[in-house]
Amino acid sequence: MPPRNHKNWLAKPKVQAISSKCYNNQVIFDMEIEQIFSKVWIPMCHISEMRNKGDFRTTQIANKRVIAINVDGNNVQAYYNTNDIDIRKPSGTYTWDFATTEKPLHCEVKHGGMIWVTLDPNPTKSVEEWTAGAFDCIADAIDTEELEVFHYHKAVIPTNYKLWHDTNSEFYHDFMHYFNRVTGFNDEYFARKNIAFDNGHVNVSSFTVNYTEFDKEGDRGELSFPNLPPNQWYMVDLFPGFNFNLRGSAYRSDAVTPLGPNSVLIEFRGYGLKKDTLEERQTRIKHHNTIWGPFGRNLHEDLIGVTGQGVTMRVGTEDRHILHGRHENHTIHDEVGMRHYYSEWGKYIDMDPYHA
Ligand SMILES: [Fe+2]
């Protein structure tokens, strides 16, 4: 076959792919806000962040300011954070009598104590129905004991929010991660399966990670989450961009807040068990931060990766197609997770992502 010229490179490939416009078009972005983020359940924060009456967290869902608050010491409600409330802080304690506030948003506490909120005034699915079994693989690990947030940080990245989903969905970029290369690239790793669930969700089956290959003291077996064999690594990718990542002794959640076609806020939380001793908690924090902390060997590499990907697809760059045509019996490098996600995405905004 002769080498490709420029025209060949721009031709639409005859394999499964999506247009780069999905990542940089303002009209598409506005549709995503209205037709996806205004409709779905959003895992906005965690119950351990609001144990006492009046404790709150604020966020932004589909460009609307939202607050979740412990209204009476036992129950969490969510509201639009405007007019009567209008709190301009990320967290704190508030003494407003919420019983008199009209129209609370639909809110549920589910899946390891996450607080789920939807702006949809008439949701057709409960959180359980929405997540459709995607959490089953880690349910016994995150729902047996109460969890507690021990780590929070956020990043505003100049890229499209879907690239954060993508980096959590495709695993061939794992070759970029030194930590993953030395601890994980064994036969079991390459046999991991991507398992698709209704509503665009996917989870990734586990395997035994050799943590001591990175750090002789790094074995995580002793502090494994409940009902979890030692040194496992499960991932749950929820449509449209929420990731739950359980590495043996530490659990992480990512929540995206799209700010524009080329801007996303990502919030990262790390969790341990509420019953942890001080020593256990310190070990979990070390395990968490070794990979996912600001000086860890994994998370910031992903942030750099998606920033670079975003640069190549900004407004003004030439349109191209991103291939998702890899089929390998749903094993770790099969792009079934990407195809599943973009198929659901296309339904929500009534657009074929290939022809966008
Ligand atoms: Fe990664």
Side-chain angles (χ1 to χ4, degrees):
M1 192 169 78
R4 292 190 197 186
N5 59 28
H6 185 69
K7 196 175 163 190
N8 297 140
W9 278 108
L10 293 184
K12 288 183 178 177
K14 290 178 184 165
V15 295
Q16 287 151 313
I18 63 170
S19 165
S20 58
K21 285 187 185 138
C22 300
Y23 295 97
N24 61 28
N25 183 285
Q26 184 68 49
V27 173
I28 290 176
F29 179 82
D30 293 342
M31 291 164 73
E32 291 174 306
I33 293 298
E34 288 307 313
Q35 293 165 227
I36 298 177
F37 283 87
S38 296
K39 304 292 183 194
V40 301
W41 284 101
I42 306 287
M44 90 168 251
C45 54
H46 190 257
I47 191 72
S48 66
E49 296 171 277
M50 46 190 70
R51 290 217 187 278
N52 301 309
K53 182 179 178 181
D55 290 351
F56 68 82
R57 291 284 297 179
T58 60
T59 192
Q60 183 176 297
I61 299 175
N63 296 338
K64 304 283 195 314
R65 292 164 53 217
V66 171
I67 182 169
I69 185 163
N70 183 330
V71 288
D72 59 7
N74 296 306
N75 297 289
V76 172
Q77 298 265 31
Y79 302 88
Y80 284 112
N81 182 16
T82 50
N83 303 326
D84 289 352
I85 305 174
D86 196 24
I87 291 175
R88 303 282 175 149
K89 295 197 299 185
S91 65
T93 304
Y94 193 58
T95 54
W96 176 263
D97 180 6
F98 279 84
T100 65
T101 304
E102 290 183 5
K103 288 186 192 156
L105 297 164
H106 287 272
C107 174
E108 289 188 30
V109 181
K110 196 81 194 168
H111 299 312
M114 293 304 298
I115 295 168
W116 302 76
V117 177
T118 178
L119 301 190
D120 187 340
N122 300 298
T124 56
K125 297 183 177 78
S126 65
V127 171
E128 185 79 32
E129 290 164 338
W130 163 248
T131 53
F135 276 95
D136 287 356
C137 62
I138 57 170
D140 287 346
I142 63 170
D143 283 325
T144 300
E145 290 284 342
E146 252 186 274
L147 307 188
E148 192 164 71
V149 172
F150 63 62
H151 173 92
Y152 173 88
H153 79 279
K154 60 186 177 183
V156 176
I157 303 296
T159 199
N160 186 274
Y161 78 90
K162 293 189 294 301
L163 286 168
W164 191 252
H165 159 270
D166 296 356
T167 200
N168 283 320
S169 179
E170 57 79 7
F171 272 75
Y172 35 81
H173 86 274
D174 253 352
F175 288 102
M176 172 179 77
H177 294 306
Y178 171 75
F179 187 97
N180 295 10
R181 289 199 309 271
V182 302
T183 64
F185 282 9
N186 52 35
D187 289 348
E188 272 188 73
Y189 169 89
F190 290 104
R192 294 176 85 184
K193 289 266 188 175
N194 294 284
I195 302 159
F197 295 84
D198 285 351
N199 307 321
H201 315 311
V202 172
N203 72 33
V204 182
S205 66
S206 187
F207 77 112
T208 304
V209 183
N210 302 317
Y211 287 106
T212 50
E213 291 292 324
F214 179 80
D215 173 5
K216 284 190 177 61
E217 311 293 316
D219 188 86
R220 295 169 171 223
E222 217 170 284
L223 284 180
S224 281
F225 266 49
N227 305 305
L228 201 65
N231 298 313
Q232 299 297 295
W233 176 20
Y234 280 102
M235 280 180 67
V236 178
D237 282 317
L238 278 202
F239 182 89
F242 306 97
N243 183 255
F244 299 84
N245 206 326
L246 178 56
R247 272 185 175 274
S249 56
Y251 183 49
R252 169 187 130 204
S253 69
D254 307 351
V256 296
T257 301
L259 303 176
N262 292 312
S263 184
V264 59
L265 164 68
I266 314 172
E267 294 176 279
F268 303 99
R269 287 173 170 83
Y271 306 81
L273 306 184
K274 188 184 174 192
K275 67 171 190 178
D276 285 342
T277 64
L278 182 61
E279 192 182 9
E280 287 170 337
R281 182 59 60 86
Q282 284 174 336
T283 305
R284 285 193 204 283
I285 290 170
K286 184 183 173 194
H287 289 171
H288 175 278
N289 286 353
T290 299
I291 309 178
W292 296 325
F295 300 98
R297 284 307 304 258
N298 175 278
L299 186 65
H300 63 280
E301 293 169 343
D302 286 314
L303 293 172
I304 292 167
V306 299
T307 301
Q309 286 176 295
V311 167
T312 69
M313 292 194 274
R314 292 244 170 95
V315 173
T317 56
E318 204 160 45
D319 293 340
R320 81 288 307 269
H321 280 75
I322 295 94
L323 309 185
H324 294 158
R326 194 161 173 155
H327 290 257
E328 296 182 357
N329 195 28
H330 292 197
T331 52
I332 197 69
H333 292 166
D334 190 315
E335 289 166 302
V336 59
M338 305 285 270
R339 293 188 292 272
H340 188 59
Y341 176 96
Y342 283 97
S343 167
E344 190 71 13
W345 182 88
K347 287 183 212 161
Y348 267 88
I349 65 167
D350 195 21
M351 180 182 287
D352 176 355
Y354 180 85
H355 294 291

